Amino acid sequence: MDGKPGFGLKHLVIFVVVAVILNGQYTWWVVESLRENRDRLELERQLILSQAEAAALGVAIRLDKATLRILELPSGVIPPTGDPFPEARVVERSEPQVGWVEDEGRPAFSWPLGGGRATLLYLDPESPRRWLAVTAPSMRLVESSGGNGLPRVTLSPPLDRLAVAPDAGRWNDVLVRYRRHVVLVVLEGTFFLAAMVSAVFLLWIALRREGERERQHQNFVSAITHELKTPLAGIRVALETVLRGRADPEGSQRFLANALTDADRLGDLIEKVLEVTRYTGGGHRLNIALGDLSQLVEEEEIAAERRAAARGVEIESDIAPGVQASFDPEALGIVISNLLENALKYAQGQPAHVSVRLAIEHGEAVLEVADNGIGIATGELETIFRPFYRANDEITRRTPGTGIGLFVAREIAVAHGGRLTAASGGRGQGATFRLVLPGAGTLPEEDFSE
Ligand code: ADP
């Protein structure tokens, strides 16, 4: 095992560079796509306009032909009525002119008859519509000044109040297609960008976590190496001194007793390290099942009582019977025994006193282990849960310990979905450790274990 994380900053940088290039390409595609879409809309508009122009030209040619037929008549002859002039009137005009005039708000073709008279041929407003229906069925006649956004070509006079425009449905289809494409491209672009940003963000978080875990691992390894070396060096010095006969018999006894203490410390440390490797870092699968927590606490308390008696510590317990919770008995046993062991170690009043309380509060199992011992400074209530952290006071230094117990205990509590916290009024004020496990209940009384 080389201890290096599988994914490093270098990889993240490469990933971000690739993501930026891909994003650049994608943004270019989005811009191009929108531009192409806009060009396509303009092209369709031009196409419609040229069709409208052709249609408008068709109307103008038909009208020209109709007027040409009149112009070809001998002078003085009253032109016959018919399409597009269904109505003709002979009117008095002092200076009659040939060509289009406006009469009663209607366009009419004026044809002089001589003698101060003229024929007015009124244009049928329906004629251009009929012609258009034959020559360009997809086109409509609309007001030339209408503002409904349709592309249009205004007819030449005298029909310049009208314009040729495509069928509104057809133009709408073109617009709907254009807008749908814009929405699709923008959505796709946003989605891609969001996916890229999220991927980079998630990778960054994973990398940070990996780094944090790596740092913890390194700290742990260096601390453990140091912790293992110290008692080993002690044992070595003691054995060498005794073997080389450098101490008198009484001194040798003391050296050997110290070596034994160091060996115990080493054994304790190795056991705790095994617990750490088993229960921390998320690698261990806990065998969590519904069980009798009261029974487990009682068992641990009974085991602690023997040690308490040897140290002159009183234990008082208030364990609610039949408390049911989901836990791994082996792992939780380690937590409870660590808390009890610490309370016994650090209790110091006259008499030294430890209390154990188990109850259900708001559906959670609450175990409190309190002592009247050396207490914990407010600033250390959290730091004591760090691996290898031991309070820097004379009593703690004299008390054997590894500084791992609370770290493992909290890891196990958290793996159960619970929490482990410490409370204390300060140095010399005793300490209370509180373990909370969610989802607790009570067994019916007849099922209580003995
Ligand atoms: P250890 O007790 O082996 O040193 P722990 O991880 O169990 O390691 O505890 C870490 C530190 O927390 C202890 O060294 C001690 O300083 C402090 N501590 C733990 N329990 C108590 C307690 N009951 N009262 C006062 N201090 C405590």
Side-chain angles (χ1 to χ4, degrees):
M1 207 173 77
D2 62 8
K4 281 186 191 160
F7 187 84
L9 188 65
K10 207 174 73 189
H11 298 91
L12 182 67
V13 170
I14 294 173
F15 182 83
V16 170
V17 169
V18 171
V20 166
I21 293 173
L22 277 179
N23 245 320
Q25 269 197 339
Y26 203 73
T27 310
W28 179 80
W29 175 84
V30 167
V31 172
E32 270 302 293
S33 199
L34 289 177
R35 213 168 52 91
E36 259 177 37
N37 195 35
R38 168 110 238 137
D39 288 354
R40 202 176 309 130
L41 177 72
E42 186 52 32
L43 212 67
E44 298 229 27
R45 215 176 80 87
Q46 291 300 337
L47 184 73
I48 285 173
L49 278 180
S50 51
Q51 287 172 350
E53 234 159 73
L57 206 65
V59 170
I61 289 171
R62 284 205 174 214
L63 201 58
D64 278 353
K65 271 191 188 159
T67 53
L68 210 63
R69 276 201 297 276
I70 299 168
L71 293 175
E72 280 166 354
L73 290 173
S75 69
V77 173
I78 296 175
T81 54
D83 188 37
F85 302 115
E87 186 188 343
R89 273 190 218 162
V90 175
V91 291
E92 303 289 326
R93 288 280 189 272
S94 50
E95 282 177 21
Q97 61 178 90
V98 182
W100 289 101
V101 292
E102 180 102 356
D103 189 64
E104 296 168 359
R106 291 192 287 165
F109 193 80
S110 159
W111 175 244
L113 296 173
R117 290 181 319 140
T119 310
L120 287 184
L121 292 134
Y122 293 93
L123 180 65
D124 180 2
E126 284 308 309
S127 292
R129 256 179 247 284
R130 274 199 302 276
W131 297 336
L132 206 63
V134 175
T135 55
S138 65
M139 295 290 164
R140 303 278 172 272
L141 275 185
V142 295
E143 292 292 317
S144 57
S145 55
N148 57 1
L150 288 176
R152 67 195 60 205
V153 172
T154 305
L155 292 175
S156 41
L159 293 170
D160 49 356
R161 263 188 251 136
L162 295 172
V164 180
D167 179 53
R170 180 182 165 196
W171 179 240
N172 258 347
D173 284 352
V174 172
L175 284 183
V176 164
R177 240 179 295 136
Y178 168 76
R179 287 184 193 133
R180 196 186 300 142
H181 193 84
V182 170
V183 170
L184 266 180
V185 169
V186 169
L187 273 185
E188 229 177 281
T190 315
F191 178 75
F192 186 79
L193 194 72
M196 278 289 173
V197 171
S198 321
V200 171
F201 181 67
L202 289 177
L203 277 173
W204 181 69
I205 289 194
L207 188 65
R208 260 184 46 163
R209 269 205 206 127
E210 184 77 42
E212 181 61 30
R213 215 172 291 147
E214 177 65 11
R215 224 177 358 264
Q216 265 191 9
H217 178 75
Q218 292 295 348
N219 286 348
F220 188 75
V221 169
S222 60
I224 211 133
T225 315
H226 172 78
E227 293 288 324
L228 286 171
K229 273 184 183 164
T230 315
L232 207 59
I235 293 171
R236 198 184 173 87
V237 169
L239 292 181
E240 262 179 14
T241 314
V242 174
L243 270 178
R244 299 206 174 139
R246 286 197 202 130
D248 53 25
E250 202 181 310
S252 298
Q253 279 295 315
R254 224 181 30 250
F255 274 113
L256 289 177
N258 283 348
L260 203 61
T261 311
D262 279 342
D264 283 346
R265 192 171 156 205
L266 214 52
D268 197 20
L269 191 66
I270 288 167
E271 199 178 305
K272 284 278 187 309
V273 170
L274 288 177
E275 282 170 10
V276 171
T277 42
R278 257 177 88 186
Y279 291 112
T280 63
H284 180 78
R285 274 194 173 278
L286 294 173
N287 292 318
I288 295 182
L290 198 64
D292 190 340
L293 186 58
S294 307
Q295 194 185 348
L296 181 70
V297 175
E298 267 163 19
E299 281 168 13
E300 293 297 339
E301 195 221 312
I302 290 166
E305 252 163 19
R306 261 174 277 132
R307 279 171 283 146
R311 295 177 198 183
V313 183
E314 284 176 1
I315 297 193
E316 173 204 329
S317 68
D318 174 15
I319 299 170
V323 173
Q324 293 281 298
S326 297
F327 57 89
D328 176 332
E330 200 185 328
L332 211 66
I334 291 174
V335 178
I336 301 168
S337 81
N338 273 346
L339 296 182
L340 285 169
E341 186 58 30
N342 279 351
L344 294 182
K345 272 196 307 192
Y346 301 112
Q348 44 149 219
Q350 287 297 337
H353 182 266
V354 170
S355 72
V356 182
R357 188 178 82 90
L358 175 69
I360 294 185
E361 290 177 11
H362 312 295
E364 295 179 317
V366 177
L367 171 70
E368 279 181 350
V369 178
D371 63 70
N372 62 345
I374 61 169
I376 302 161
T378 315
E380 289 184 316
L381 287 172
E382 265 305 305
T383 36
I384 52 170
F385 291 97
R386 287 193 202 150
F388 296 111
Y389 185 86
R390 303 200 74 208
N392 190 18
D393 64 88
E394 183 54 31
I395 302 174
T396 310
R397 252 178 278 132
R398 270 194 283 118
T399 314
T402 56
I404 308 180
L406 285 182
F407 168 63
V408 180
R410 181 174 265 184
E411 290 274 324
I412 294 174
V414 171
H416 277 80
R419 38 192 201 278
L420 175 63
T421 48
S424 171
R427 286 240 191 272
Q429 304 294 309
T432 303
F433 284 81
R434 188 177 158 93
L435 169 72
V436 179
L437 291 185
T442 317
L443 265 184
E445 216 162 305
E446 61 269 23
D447 295 341
F448 285 171
S449 52
E450 288 299 302

